[in-house]
Amino acid sequence: MSAFRLVVFTGAGVSAESGLGTFRGPGGIWERVRPEELATPEAFARDPGRVWRWYADRFAAMRAAEPNAAHREIARWQERFASVVVVTQNIDRLHQRAGSRDVLELHGTIWEARCEACGFVIDMPTAIDLEPGGGPPRCRCGGRMRPCVVWFGERLPEAPFERAADAAARADVILAVGTSATIYPAAGLVELAAASGAKVFEVNREATPLSRLAHRTIRKAAGEALPELTAELEAIAGGRFE
Ligand code: BV8
Ligand code: ZN
């Protein structure tokens, strides 16, 4: 018997109970703005001030938010299972703040900004303070700083994506939590895991395109569902640490 490997694949719904808005669904961010208006390189080129201020506002909310019961339960699993890799589409760093150590950020992070021209990285609070007028600050090279997130039409960061694909291909269980599973290539990781023999678990208040792949679906809020799932995962893991 080989060590039990768990991949937890998360989306905006895992942070909903921390008070952060989701993207799609009722009350979601994209009901008010269209993604192609703000979360693209073209939008930033057209109106950098607007896009920067939108991220600065979201950063303020994410910084003020606290990890919830779902983030905390996922972090506790590290002590119970041989391998836990958290693959997240979220940019809020709440998994890390809850104590998860192996977190792959597929869509980058809002906690950093980088220069469009030379790639120099600074942390977001510093970047916001540099430009009291509210627009994107300039790098020392003269280039414009942008949030370190992945916009539509941009390639995902290679190293975390490759590690995530490797973890998905080797997983015993992949648990998708709070994601509408509509954004590719991230959503494809669950299909990859399933095709490689992983059991698919889904925690989501609603059905998603993944539901048809799932061996087990739990239609509850993540903060309630995940603590309840621990015993079930332990039964599957069966103490397999090596
Ligand atoms: C790329 C970061 C190529 C910044 C985001 C195939 C077909 C068609 C199009 C494509 C395709 N492959 C790729 C594309 C294009 C595009 C794409 O997927 N489009 C979609 C619309 C089809 N993909 C891309 O552009 C990607 N890049 O493909 O590059 C390339 C190749 C070579 C060279 C150059 C380029 C990049 C996509 C990255 C987009 N970035 N955000 C920011 O946040 O501002 S996307 C955005 O959606 C979010 O950030 C998040 O990361 C992502 C996924 O959303 P979810 O996290 O799932 O959130 P959502 O709101 O949708 O769902 C929440 C769920 O939670 C709901 O289901 C709800 O029921 C549930 N829920 C709510 N409360 C709770 C809950 N569940 C449990 N408990 C609760 N309490
Ligand atoms: Zn620069």
Side-chain angles (χ1 to χ4, degrees):
M1 287 287 263
S2 59
F4 177 72
R5 296 178 180 280
L6 174 65
V7 170
V8 188
F9 176 64
T10 66
V14 81
S15 297
E17 290 156 84
S18 295
L20 299 175
T22 58
F23 293 86
R24 295 157 200 90
I29 296 176
W30 303 135
E31 271 187 359
R32 282 166 278 142
V33 289
R34 294 190 312 137
E36 55 276 20
E37 269 178 37
L38 289 170
T40 66
E42 293 76 20
F44 189 59
R46 208 164 41 234
D47 194 345
R50 182 176 179 217
V51 172
W52 181 265
R53 281 188 296 277
W54 185 60
Y55 279 97
D57 287 350
R58 288 176 61 203
F59 176 66
M62 289 177 181
R63 187 187 205 180
E66 293 294 332
N68 64 51
H71 299 107
R72 289 194 299 269
E73 193 65 17
I74 293 167
R76 271 187 214 115
W77 290 343
Q78 290 170 153
E79 268 54 69
R80 299 185 182 225
F81 304 120
S83 163
V84 180
V85 181
V86 180
V87 177
T88 189
Q89 300 164 88
N90 298 343
I91 59 175
D92 56 31
R93 290 221 170 139
L94 286 174
H95 285 298
Q96 292 92 328
R97 287 177 55 202
S100 280
R101 290 183 295 268
D102 201 357
V103 182
L104 302 173
E105 295 175 312
L106 296 183
H107 292 163
T109 175
I110 203 167
W111 283 83
E112 291 173 350
R114 76 164 183 271
C115 172
E116 279 189 307
C118 76
F120 184 66
V121 172
I122 57 176
D123 65 41
M124 190 52 109
T126 308
I128 289 170
D129 285 350
L130 278 174
E131 190 51 63
R138 292 274 170 185
C139 175
R140 56 191 178 180
C141 83
R144 205 162 24 220
M145 305 297 293
R146 55 163 286 177
C148 263
V149 301
V150 179
W151 282 326
F152 286 94
E154 291 187 319
R155 211 185 272 274
L156 272 56
E158 216 164 294
F161 187 72
E162 277 174 11
R163 269 210 64 214
D166 183 60
R170 285 147 48 97
D172 294 298
V173 171
I174 186 162
L175 166 63
V177 187
T179 176
S180 61
T182 44
I183 304 301
Y184 282 80
L189 292 171
V190 182
E191 294 155 25
L192 169 66
S196 313
K199 277 205 164 66
V200 177
F201 279 48
E202 179 178 56
V203 171
N204 197 305
R205 291 192 145 141
E206 292 166 14
T208 75
L210 291 184
S211 306
R212 71 187 161 80
L213 283 180
H215 299 85
R216 173 106 167 79
T217 46
I218 300 139
R219 297 258 166 273
K220 283 184 180 176
E224 186 188 350
L226 298 196
E228 291 174 8
L229 256 184
T230 300
E232 203 172 315
L233 291 172
E234 281 180 326
I236 298 172
R240 283 187 282 144
F241 267 87
E242 339 232 347

